[in-house]
Amino acid sequence: MCLACRAPTDPGAAMSGETSIPPSGPLSGLRILEMEALGPLPLAGTLLAGFGADVVRITRAGAAATPDPVVRGRRVMTLDLKSGPGRAMLLDLVAHADALMEGFRPGTMEKLGLGPADCHAANPALVYARMTGWGQDGPLAQEAGHDINYIAVAGALGRIVGEGGRPGLPINLVGDYGGGTMPLLFGLMTALWQARATGRGEVIDAAMVDGTATLMAKQYAWHGQGHLGAPGTNLLDGGAFFYDTYSCADGRHVAVGAIEPKFYAALLEVLDLAPADLPPQHDKARWPEGRRLFAARFATRARDEWVTLAEGRDACLSPVLTLDEAIDHPQAQARASFARAADGAVLPLAAPRFGSMAGQRMQAEGNTETDLATLLDDWAAGRADQDWERT
């Protein structure tokens, strides 16, 4: 549908508020509809907005607000998707959007008359991105779950050793964000590239259980080849004494990752240990012995003393920082890695960085309510400027 020929809509059915064309960036002109959700989807929308996309978050009329400090830099429209007018308004937006992201249980959007077939009837070039824990099919597709459940079934949680041999919890970085947000964004941008070339849209089935398994590619390969030992006995999972964390005299911790011989040698110099004092670096049977010696040595000094001793020596020794310490760390300060929003939230700079985007960051601004007529007028103006108008 040509933007200039869009059907009139009922402005009284939407919320009003001031809006503006989104800031410039490599994704400027990209129009994304984000159905309100938790977990991976909000971060995906914020990253897209941080790079210039116009992200419009659709919230449900009558639903209790779910505060999420990551949700910033968007325009927001509240619609009653169970009503005919609300559904029609969303399909009007779909007709002029590049992509829609949703995170409901499989079948929910279809029940609302807003599934992929309905949306592609309005816009054949639309990229329809679906984010779930288990995927759109399979025996668990309709089961509830959270990050911990998805990474457990993906095999990742069982490889992370915690206290007493219990699986450790990597907060919700692995399933929600590593296995959810990142594959969702990769799939979205891949499908948009395809749609640009072909004019055909796509349906993306992004599942956290699949994304987490993808992150485990090397672990699964080693396992299949018979090269992976039990959890906690391998090079990168806490088995190696030269790739682990240690308590210091002040109760704080350091992380060491001295794998290569030259880095291992530098670490031993920092610790004032001779190779003869320790078992051979790669003698797995004696790694526990090496760990005991390292633990005893690290316990003799405070964390920051070790950091100072290791500075500039390529010993692969780093402090384990609190969030406040990470914000104030010289590396973060030099790269202006964090910004503080008016509501007190600390926001990291958007990653990766583009050389042409000085001061690029995740949006610190709040969200702005909008209405359908204003939004479509903005989109029409933006597309006319860029000569991207659909016919």
Side-chain angles (χ1 to χ4, degrees), residues 46 63-64 105 128 159 184 192 209 308 341 351 355 377:
T46 297
R105 288 199 198 190
Y128 195 107
R159 299 300 309 180
L184 173 67
L192 285 168
V209 68
T308 299
D377 283 344

Side-chain angles (χ1 to χ4, degrees), residues 206-253:
M208 284 174 261
V209 68
D210 296 341
T212 301
T214 299
L215 298 178
M216 293 278 291
K218 182 174 285 189
Q219 301 290 317
Y220 273 110
W222 281 339
H223 172 70
Q225 296 169 343
H227 300 322
L228 192 65
T233 66
N234 303 279
L235 179 63
L236 303 179
D237 64 6
F241 67 93
F242 48 88
Y243 195 93
D244 207 345
T245 59
Y246 289 93
S247 299
C248 301
D250 56 357
R252 295 189 287 182
H253 300 85

Side-chain angles (χ1 to χ4, degrees), residues 34-46 57 59 64-74 76 172 176-177 181 341 343 345-347 362-367:
E34 174 198 351
M35 308 305 292
E36 183 179 21
L38 302 174
L41 214 61
L43 180 59
T46 297
R57 184 173 171 90
T59 62
T66 305
D68 187 334
V70 171
V71 178
R72 296 172 186 273
R74 293 155 168 76
V76 178
N172 65 326
D176 277 355
Y177 302 132
T181 299
D343 62 2
V346 177
L347 305 174
M362 291 174 69
Q363 296 286 339
E365 298 82 6
N367 302 303

Side-chain angles (χ1 to χ4, degrees), residues 307-331:
V307 171
T308 299
L309 286 171
E311 187 173 353
R313 299 174 72 172
D314 277 351
C316 298
L317 183 152
S318 303
V320 177
L321 300 180
T322 65
L323 296 184
D324 284 335
E325 288 174 324
I327 294 167
D328 294 332
H329 191 274
Q331 181 69 12

